[in-house]
Amino acid sequence: MIILGLILLIIGIVAGISILTTIGTILIIIGAVLWILGATGRAVGGRKHYW
């Protein structure tokens, strides 16, 4: 999710499409939160591991 967010963010900045930049930023934030929760051992969505 973080990688997809980065790709969309880069495409949005290069192409000048603000909606892709916004979606990319949101995906990066959500991916980082899920990564941190999974790394601390907290169950995410009923699963111990997120991938």
Side-chain angles (χ1 to χ4, degrees):
M1 189 173 289
I2 295 174
I3 294 173
L4 178 64
L6 282 173
I7 292 170
L8 288 176
L9 184 66
I10 291 170
I11 291 172
I13 290 172
V14 170
I17 303 172
S18 62
I19 190 71
L20 287 182
T21 307
T22 304
I23 293 172
T25 305
I26 291 170
L27 285 179
I28 290 172
I29 292 170
I30 292 172
V33 167
L34 290 175
W35 182 25
I36 291 169
L37 287 175
T40 59
R42 184 171 173 89
V44 177
R47 298 175 183 257
K48 220 30 172 160
H49 301 283
Y50 172 75
W51 63 84

